[in-house]
Amino acid sequence: VVGGNVVSIEAQPWMAAIFIDNRYQCGGSLIAPCWVLTATHCLIGDDDEVMSAQLMTVYLGRSSIVKNDSIREQKFSVEQLFVHPDYSNNEGNYKNDIGLLKLRAKHGVCALQSPSVRTVCMPPPHIMLPPGAICSVAGYGKTSQGAWQYSNDLRQAKVALLSQSVCEDREYYGKLITKNMFCAGSPDWKTDSCQGDSGGPLVCEVGGRAFVFGVVSWGDGCARNKKPGVYTRLTNYNTWISQKTRLPAYTAG
Ligand code: 4AZ
């Protein structure tokens, strides 16, 4: 995350850190005790094959991806992984960049609610917040486009939603933007998601509750003028998510 500030996990207790082969790979969001939402591009290897669930570890409750926190963290292996059947990455964008991890339960339970671990709400289908709405993006990724390493510490920044027509402008991303994506950035282009934040949440508060509206997906660099972050538009995927998870399509809590 570029701009914004370091926060402790209690500020984003749904934040998941996904490790593959013991290396940090991507962010995610806890949407139900056994389910983490992420980006499909996080789950596909250089050979275009879906990575093996056996290689994955998901941590909840981590303020840092380099410091273990035996008091607050909860560690899970992955029982099953779902990539979107219409995912593609061959046009300079990621289409249908949404994926799900089913955590392996221990003694019949997955995530246990605590101040550092809790689920985030899913928004109802097809609702849209107006352009200009202020949301927050969180992750352990780079703090500038040219950084050599990830932040390691969890950071969050405020970003404003952009209208589809602005983001489809030729000076922005033109035809790379589909109806299943939206853009968010700050008016001064000082905050953004960045490399290493992929899969993580863009959260907007509605009625005093946190809803995950977007999954960090792609962008042209980080915090560049007229090159906002691009997010998978979650409200277009309620059916797919509920089919995979068999959760109700919409839960207010
Ligand atoms: C990346 O490389 C990436 N500024 C993620 C988000 C953005 C750009 C790149 C958005 O994972």
Side-chain angles (χ1 to χ4, degrees):
V1 170
V2 181
N5 34 275
V6 172
V7 291
S8 71
I9 189 68
E10 288 80 9
Q12 295 275 345
W14 39 79
M15 187 76 212
I18 300 169
F19 284 68
I20 301 185
D21 250 342
N22 295 309
R23 281 171 53 112
Y24 173 77
Q25 174 84 356
C26 270
S29 313
L30 188 72
I31 57 166
C34 293
W35 289 94
V36 168
L37 176 75
T38 187
T40 277
H41 90 253
C42 293
L43 309 176
I44 305 274
D46 294 333
D47 56 1
D48 275 7
E49 301 278 337
V50 179
M51 291 196 263
S52 155
Q54 281 100 294
L55 296 175
M56 297 189 185
T57 305
V58 175
Y59 288 92
L60 304 171
R62 289 275 291 253
S63 296
S64 157
I65 52 171
V66 294
K67 291 183 233 115
N68 286 79
D69 183 341
S70 56
I71 306 291
R72 294 185 295 175
E73 77 182 29
Q74 298 180 32
K75 179 182 179 182
F76 295 92
S77 58
V78 172
E79 186 172 294
Q80 212 177 352
L81 129 195
F82 296 93
V83 298
H84 196 282
D86 302 320
Y87 167 78
S88 73
N89 71 341
N90 37 33
E91 283 164 20
N93 57 9
Y94 291 122
K95 291 198 177 126
N96 302 296
D97 194 11
I98 186 166
L100 285 165
L101 304 180
K102 185 174 191 201
L103 306 181
R104 177 164 291 120
K106 308 174 217 176
H107 314 291
V109 291
C110 299
L112 293 171
Q113 192 177 316
S114 75
S116 42
V117 175
R118 66 161 297 166
T119 55
V120 65
C121 304
M122 294 281 295
H126 304 298
I127 75 154
M128 289 202 200
L129 295 179
I134 305 293
C135 300
S136 71
V137 63
Y140 307 96
K142 290 183 175 183
T143 58
S144 71
Q145 193 179 318
W148 287 28
Q149 305 172 43
Y150 292 159
S151 157
N152 295 331
D153 292 324
L154 181 62
R155 303 183 70 97
Q156 74 175 24
K158 287 182 178 169
V159 286
L161 305 187
L162 274 74
S163 73
Q164 228 47 9
S165 60
V166 165
C167 210
E168 290 166 358
D169 186 282
R170 295 210 326 272
E171 289 197 276
Y172 285 65
Y173 292 121
K175 292 192 169 20
L176 293 178
I177 300 300
T178 72
K179 64 178 185 351
N180 295 321
M181 305 168 189
F182 68 85
C183 300
S186 64
D188 60 5
W189 308 107
K190 284 197 161 50
T191 62
D192 197 4
S193 48
C194 200
Q195 197 182 343
D197 295 322
S198 286
L202 179 137
V203 165
C204 313
E205 216 175 275
V206 182
R209 304 182 80 104
F211 290 82
V212 56
F213 276 81
V215 174
V216 177
S217 181
W218 61 277
D220 182 352
C222 308
R224 296 181 58 199
N225 268 5
K226 301 193 177 182
K227 302 294 174 187
V230 186
Y231 298 83
T232 309
R233 186 184 289 278
L234 262 206
T235 54
N236 287 6
Y237 293 94
N238 296 69
T239 310
W240 184 77
I241 292 171
S242 55
Q243 276 171 359
K244 294 301 161 199
T245 61
R246 297 162 183 268
L247 295 170
Y250 165 53
T251 46

